[in-house]
Amino acid sequence: MTKGEEFKYAKVAEAFKRVNLYGPTEEPEHKFLYRKAYDIACKYEEPLIVEYGTLNGASAISIGMGILYGKELMNARGVDRNPKLLSVDNYMAFHKGNNQQIVSVDRVREIIRECKLDNSVSIIEMDDLTHIATLSDKSVNMAWVDSLHEYEHVKETLDLLLPKMADDSFLCGHDYDYACIGVVYAVEEFKKKWKEHICGFGVHYKNWWCIIRNSPGVN
């Protein structure tokens, strides 16, 4: 990041403090999410980012602020941009009342408004797989997968997401480790099954993964 971007990224921590969330801005995946959202907002006219597993909205804030500052930069250059983040969670744990750390969808939407991100970030209460089916093919520039970590769910999520990913897009996720072995198995199986559609893969900082979708003519 440039010094200017670092300054703006520091404002993510300010946003967390303002809405009384924990401050994960030193965690590598949050800096990655911010930076990629910033780059995507600068590069494409109407980019779309999707997130599966909103929880308390922390990663939605990191992505949303990347979108905001990327859009501001391009607007200052006289270039219109209309980036969007769709952050999806069924909030099942909240409805069952078995995880006090999970806040309601209404509170997360309030947090997004308090961070002044509601023009570009939508919090959607829906099942992941149901929502993926509503997306157009090759419409998604980045997807962040961090919801249910069971093998079958991750496997189906990735298989359904692949046709929705645009060329040169990023399909990424959290908890690629032996504490969530279902994620590891599903991602590795996906890589083998769809290898002709993938031109890059990495596991970063031990627990999150990123796949780059092929562009035309790339093997």
Side-chain angles (χ1 to χ4, degrees):
M1 290 185 180
T2 66
K3 288 184 178 180
E5 288 176 71
E6 288 283 4
F7 171 76
K8 288 181 176 179
Y9 184 69
K11 291 183 175 293
V12 180
E14 295 176 15
F16 283 124
K17 184 176 181 180
R18 187 166 60 250
V19 297
N20 198 30
L21 287 181
Y22 75 97
T25 53
E26 294 306 313
E27 295 178 11
E29 66 270 16
H30 278 266
K31 188 166 282 191
F32 165 81
L33 291 171
Y34 171 90
R35 179 55 191 265
K36 292 313 300 181
Y38 180 94
D39 290 345
I40 288 168
C42 291
K43 185 175 182 180
Y44 300 103
E45 184 176 349
E46 294 190 0
L48 176 62
I49 299 173
V50 295
E51 174 188 24
Y52 295 102
T54 309
L55 196 66
N56 62 6
S59 52
I61 291 173
S62 294
I63 296 169
M65 292 189 75
I67 284 174
L68 175 66
Y69 290 130
K71 181 178 179 179
E72 284 185 357
L73 173 66
M74 298 310 292
N75 286 348
R77 295 176 177 177
V79 180
D80 289 334
R81 288 288 185 263
N82 188 32
K84 296 290 183 183
L85 166 65
L86 307 180
S87 185
V88 181
D89 200 307
N90 63 12
Y91 286 93
M92 190 59 66
F94 170 78
H95 290 303
K96 290 182 177 180
N98 60 359
N99 189 334
Q100 296 302 312
Q101 294 181 340
I102 298 180
V103 294
S104 70
V105 64
D106 291 334
R107 174 54 187 151
V108 175
R109 286 172 177 155
E110 182 181 349
I111 285 170
I112 294 301
R113 286 194 296 270
E114 289 175 14
C115 292
K116 299 180 180 180
L117 297 173
D118 47 315
N119 285 335
S120 53
V121 177
S122 297
I123 306 299
I124 299 171
E125 187 174 12
M126 187 183 291
D127 174 74
D128 302 353
L129 305 180
T130 302
H131 183 266
I132 293 170
T134 70
L135 300 171
S136 300
D137 286 354
K138 292 200 170 186
S139 64
V140 178
N141 299 101
M142 183 171 80
W144 177 251
V145 179
D146 190 19
S147 57
L148 186 63
H149 290 350
E150 294 177 0
Y151 164 77
E152 288 293 345
H153 184 84
V154 179
K155 176 180 179 295
E156 190 169 2
T157 297
L158 298 182
D159 284 343
L160 289 175
L161 266 175
L162 181 65
K164 311 301 181 181
M165 304 303 298
D167 297 325
D168 298 318
S169 59
F170 293 86
L171 176 54
C172 322
H174 203 209
D175 296 307
Y176 182 99
D177 55 37
Y178 287 103
C180 301
I181 195 65
V183 175
V184 177
Y185 287 154
V187 170
E188 291 300 319
E189 183 177 303
F190 177 85
K191 284 166 52 187
K192 292 177 182 178
K193 181 178 180 181
W194 301 107
K195 61 183 179 179
E196 70 273 16
H197 296 280
I198 297 170
C199 62
F201 173 76
V203 179
H204 305 277
Y205 303 101
K206 298 183 180 180
N207 71 344
W208 59 271
W209 55 271
C210 180
I211 290 171
I212 304 174
R213 176 78 151 90
N214 261 351
S215 59
V218 176
N219 296 318

